RNA sequence: GCCGACUUAGCUCAGUGGUAGAGCACUCGCUUCACACGCGAUAGGCCACAAGUUCGAAUCUUGUAGUCGGCACCA
């Protein structure tokens, strides 16, 4: 068999994904078991404009690992994929393109033409991200791919809007909103990021009190502000009602400079007397706090800015048309000229910025659509408080953050001044009356006229994303009672046979609620909370049980990746360099929820691991003639166990004579690993599973098991064959024909079978490599499939995930094998420390008690080979020349006579070093065991354990000291 | 201002009320017939600091310092 020496992932990645997809392995319909339990997960829809980044790669890896694992366990799985329309960023991108290509703006071409452009753009570039998802190897069901702007989902959004409006949860109102003057749209609180502004200043402005006698005395009230330009829109000055300094001024008036307007001095508890001067200018149309004061005092709302943050006519002729910062300078200049500028102080302010374009947000009085959140909020809080749902992984700190955010939730601004998105289904007649309806026809009926104009705004993208887990599964809010107490029966005991793809209602019944959501921290409020709220409101069910919050992938210096810093790491480049599987292992190998700095070295180590798996398999395949994967070959433990259960006295006899210690040991390790991996995945400890598999495969399987059985397995040369037959070994019928003995065939079968199971366990993490290798193994096929997939073509994707068989755990084998491993390691240590060359021949003397003598004798060939020794002398005691290197293990004393080779000085210091190390531990043990309160209060098992360890070490120290003395 | 997380080997990170672990890097030795993306053997840590609880603390509590994050306020 021709197999390359180094694994090259590229071809496998391309080839297998196509096959998986075209054979329908990803679709839940592949599962033929009518009683199969379901497992479902929806992808957090990436932006249609987006490209894959490490955060995606991480969350996708975790979701796919879970899905593949569950699928192999026989669950009917659905991993639902799709993208969202990303209102603002897509519109920006297409606008930019339009400007570049045609030197035109959206306004130039009009709404319909522009929307058409966006669709064109989407059809051309919108599959970049989905192609990248294919590259990642995600086992998502492409037949159910969704897009938030497609017809069905748009209808759903409209239905939801109408329903919420009719119930009174959506209203239109004039409020101060976060206005981005560059994007010219409103933003929700969550799309705004507070950032420290540079060069912040606090300007102290003198406002003259306007009554005649005050003017005569030039009575001034000084206010402090960071935004002097807004004074043009002031409609009051406020002081604290308890502030003795200003009590006499309340109720009087200010003659507002530069405007010739008179504004009142009012008292409001909002004002803190200690801050600034204790007097606050009030600009209700340009500041959220001022707006609230304005509401309380019935102040005039004077809007002085345009949508692009230039001053409008209301700001006065001198200022009209000025950009806001130019206006600020001019206001300050004018105040200075008038002698009304008291002082300017440096002052650190944090200002809201548009998350997307970084422009400073302008709080602006504006008419928008809002969603009242109280009812849905209360439902979500109840679910959390009473059922601890959804469960967050890790729970700290996300549960608390989520709860606190819900508790302080305010109304949600859902309209956006964009053209790309779900246009708000509201129509206005000539008098401005609003009619919310599913269609213009319906609105016309309500209005009694067809002379209607639809609201120009669209809905926040998150409005549609909030419906994602159920809208994508066919819920559209139109069915009878669909929105009442929940569409679904509490328990759906009727399993869906094979759900036709088109029958999306069955999808809802089968796959909703989903099992788990995997997403990033910053999305908890934007998306997770909203899905919970809408899920409860519209379906009566929580949309998912568990929420895994993954960590942030940082750059190698621990910095967040960002476009501005240009320190992003492109997953596609990493794939190209190290392979998708190695990248997935790296990502899954990071602790759940913890940020981690990206290191190429880490991926490299998993690339090496992939190569190790490749080569271990290569070795097994080179030596696989006459054998194939056969699960029965591992079952001798079961025979032994059942015979033990029947009361046989020596169940060990049931073990076939050729089941070696190493066989029993590796099978025990395999089953323990399967158990631990299962537990790790159940609790979403992906990194734990990765560690377990890495350790099992590399250390246990490759370093020890393969090395132990190598001589048995490799093809014998003709000369060796003849020698063996002459020696009476392996001269059995058929042996000459194949060149193999039955024992060899059995060994080959066994190693293939163990390898095959290890590869299956690795599949959810490393899908491509494992499929590539599994296809090459003889004896794999649909017989290894989970029975639910019996008709499917051969693929590891649908093979059964290995389960732990407790009867195969063999503690005796593990401790015996450990003794052998320790023995070999100690001899190797002597070899290395004493500079024994490969070619040097030496004998190893071993003294041990009877049971371990047997163990060592039984494994003599392997010990000789792995320690590179020529001969073993095993007995109760040993007699060796003075010129010997010595060592002790927990079960044996070792001596290697090195006449002429030994460096006594070196050997002395080597032994002294070992004694030193043991003594440190011994001192600690002695101290602990002589502590009366420890012996009295600690659990007896613990005390015994330490006593045993103490005896063992004392013995070892004693032996080593004797050996050391003998050198002198 | 409030809340939270983190601080473990040179680096990146696991882990745990009872002998400190991994990967990478380092040192030494191997052209051993699956793999040099390899094999073998070492070395390396008072688990940030201080106090407390406990027979026992790196692990639990409290405080301190540093790093990072979230929220609130910001005239």
């Amino acid at each position: 068999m021709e197999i390359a020496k180094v694994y090259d992932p590229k071809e496998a990645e391309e080839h297998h994904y196509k096959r998986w997809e075209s054979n329908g392995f990803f679709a839940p319909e592949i599962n033929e078991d009518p009683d199969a339990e379901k497992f479902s997960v929806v992808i957090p829809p990436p932006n249609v404009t987006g490209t894959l980044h490490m955060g995606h790669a991480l969350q996708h890896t975790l979701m796919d690992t879970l899905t593949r694992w569950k699928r192999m366990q026989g669950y009917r799985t659905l991993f639902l994929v799709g993208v969202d329309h990303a209102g603002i960023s897509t519109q920006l991108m297409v606008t930019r393109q339009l400007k570049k290509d045609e030197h035109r703006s959206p306004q130039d071409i009009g709404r319909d033409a522009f929307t058409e452009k966006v669709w064109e753009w989407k059809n051309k570039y919108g599959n970049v991200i989905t192609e990248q998802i294919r590259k990642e190897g995600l086992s998502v069901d492409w037949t159910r791919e969704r897009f938030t702007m497609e017809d069905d989902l748009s209808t759903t959004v409209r239905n939801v809007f109408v329903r919420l409006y009719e119930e009174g949860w959506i209203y239109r109102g004039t409020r101060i909103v976060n206005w981005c003057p560059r994007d010219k749209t409103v933003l929700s609180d969550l799309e705004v990021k507070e950032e420290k502004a540079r060069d912040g200043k606090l300007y102290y402005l003198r406002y003259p009190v306007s009554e005649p006698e005050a003017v005569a005395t030039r009575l001034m009230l000084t206010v402090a502000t960071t935004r002097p330009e807004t004074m043009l829109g002031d409609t009051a000055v406020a002081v604290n009602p308890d502030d003795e300094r200003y009590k006499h001024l309340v109720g009087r008036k200010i003659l507002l400079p530069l405007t010739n307007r008179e504004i009142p001095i009012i008292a409001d508890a909002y004002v803190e007397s200690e801050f600034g001067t204790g007097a606050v200018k009030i600009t209700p149309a340009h500041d959220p706090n001022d707006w609230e004061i304005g509401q309380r005092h019935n102040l005039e709302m004077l809007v002085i800015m345009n949508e692009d943050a230039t001053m409008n006519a209301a700001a006065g002729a001198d200022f009209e048309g000025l950009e806001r910062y130019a206006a600020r300078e001019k206001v300050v200049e004018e105040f200075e000229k008038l002698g009304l500028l008291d002082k300017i102080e440096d002052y650190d302010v944090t200002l809201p910025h548009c998350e997307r374009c970084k422009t400073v947000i302008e709080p602006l009085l504006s008419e928008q659509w809002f969603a009242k959140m109280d009812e849905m909020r209360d439902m979500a809080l109840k679910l959390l408080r009473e059922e601890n749902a959804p469960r967050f992984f890790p729970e700290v700190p996300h549960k608390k953050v989520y709860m606190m955010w819900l508790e302080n939730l305010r109304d949600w601004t859902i309209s956006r001044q964009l053209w790309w998105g779900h246009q708000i289904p509201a129509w206005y007649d000539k008098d401005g009356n609003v009619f919310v309806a599913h269609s213009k026809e319906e609105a016309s009926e309500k209005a009694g006229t067809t002379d209607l104009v639809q609201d120009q705004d669209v809905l926040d993208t998150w409005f549609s994303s909030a419906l994602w887990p159920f809208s994508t599964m066919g819920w559209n809010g139109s069915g009878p009672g669909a929105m009442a107490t929940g569409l679904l029966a509490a328990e759906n005991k009727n399993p869906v046979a094979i759900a036709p793809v088109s029958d999306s209602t069955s999808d809802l019944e089968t796959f909703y609620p989903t099992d788990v959501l995997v997403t990033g921290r910053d999305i908890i409020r934007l998306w997770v909370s909203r899905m919970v709220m809408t899920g409860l409101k519209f379906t009566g069910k929580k949309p998912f049980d568990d929420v895994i919050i993954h960590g942030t992938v940082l750059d190698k210096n621990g910095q967040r990746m960002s476009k501005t810093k240009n320190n992003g790491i492109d997953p596609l480049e990493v794939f190209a360099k190290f392979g998708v599987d190695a990248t997935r292992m790296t990502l899954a190998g990071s602790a759940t929820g913890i940020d981690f700095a990206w290191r190429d070295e880490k991926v490299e180590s998993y690339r090496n691991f992939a190569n190790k798996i490749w080569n271990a398999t290569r070795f097994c395949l080179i030596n696989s003639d006459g054998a194939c994967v056969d699960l029965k070959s591992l079952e001798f433990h079961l025979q032994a166990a059942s015979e033990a259960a029947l009361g046989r006295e020596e169940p060990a006899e049931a073990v076939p004579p050729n089941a070696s210690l190493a066989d029993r040991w590796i099978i025990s390790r395999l089953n323990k690993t399967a158990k631990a991996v299962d537990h790790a995945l159940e609790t979403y400890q992906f990194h734990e599973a990765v560690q377990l598999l890495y350790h099992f495969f590399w250390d246990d399987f490759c370093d020890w098991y393969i090395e132990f059985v190598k001589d048995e397995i490799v093809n014998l040369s003709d000369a060796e064959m003849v020698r063996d037959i002459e020696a009476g070994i392996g001269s059995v019928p058929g042996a000459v024909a194949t060149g193999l003995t039955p024992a060899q065939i059995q060994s080959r079968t066994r190693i293939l079978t163990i390898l095959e199971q290890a590869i299956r366990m690795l599949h959810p993490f490393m899908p491509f490599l494992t499929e590539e290798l599994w296809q090459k193994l003889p004896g794999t096929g649909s017989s290894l499939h989970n029975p639910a997939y019996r008709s499917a073509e051969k693929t590891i994707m649908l093979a059964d995930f290995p389960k732990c068989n407790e009867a195969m755990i063999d503690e005796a084998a593990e401790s015996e094998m450990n003794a052998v491993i320790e023995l070999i390691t100690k001899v190797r240590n002597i070899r290395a420390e004493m500079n024994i060359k490969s070619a040097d021949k030496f004998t190893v003397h071993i003294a041990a008690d009877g049971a371990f003598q047997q163990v060592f004798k039984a494994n003599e060939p392997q010990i000789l080979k792995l320690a590179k020794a020529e001969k073993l002398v095993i007995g109760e005691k040993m007699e060796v020349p003075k010129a010997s290197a010595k060592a002790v293990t927990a079960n044996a004393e070792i001596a290697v006579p090195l006449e002429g080779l030994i460096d006594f000085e070196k050997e002395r210091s080597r032994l002294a070093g070992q004694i030193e190390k043991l003594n440190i531990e011994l001192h600690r043990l002695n101290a602990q065991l002589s502590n009366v309160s420890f012996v009295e209060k600690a659990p007896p098992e613990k005390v015994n354990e330490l006593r045993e360890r103490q005896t063992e070490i004392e013995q070892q120290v004693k032996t080593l000291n004797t050996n050391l003395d003998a050198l002198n």
Side-chain angles (χ1 to χ4, degrees), chain A residues 27 87 178 205 333 381 391 589 602 712 862 898 911 919 948:
Chain A
N178 303 303
L205 307 180
E333 270 171 32
L381 278 171
R391 286 181 66 197
K602 194 90 188 166
E712 178 81 9
Q862 286 84 3
L898 293 170
L911 290 179
N919 269 333
E948 279 170 28

Side-chain angles (χ1 to χ4, degrees), chain A residues 72-126:
Chain A
M72 288 175 80
Q73 288 184 329
Y75 285 70
R76 170 175 287 109
T77 54
L78 172 61
F79 184 177
L80 193 139
V81 70
V83 295
D84 80 30
H85 62 279
I88 294 181
S89 55
T90 307
Q91 175 148 349
L92 277 177
M93 209 165 283
V94 177
T95 302
R96 219 173 288 148
Q97 182 99 8
L98 189 66
K99 188 162 186 187
K100 198 175 144 207
D101 295 352
E102 305 178 26
H103 305 290
R104 292 203 289 178
S105 73
Q107 286 71 26
D108 293 338
I109 65 173
R111 181 169 195 141
D112 289 346
F114 181 76
T115 310
E116 209 169 291
K117 287 266 178 214
V118 181
W119 275 108
E120 274 172 31
W121 190 93
K122 189 261 168 190
N123 292 331
K124 197 166 169 191
Y125 301 108

Side-chain angles (χ1 to χ4, degrees), chain A residues 485-494 509 512-513 539-541:
Chain A
T485 51
L487 174 66
L488 309 168
E491 270 185 61
N492 172 30
K493 284 264 169 78
N494 296 330
E509 286 172 14
Y512 184 83
T539 72
K541 292 187 172 187

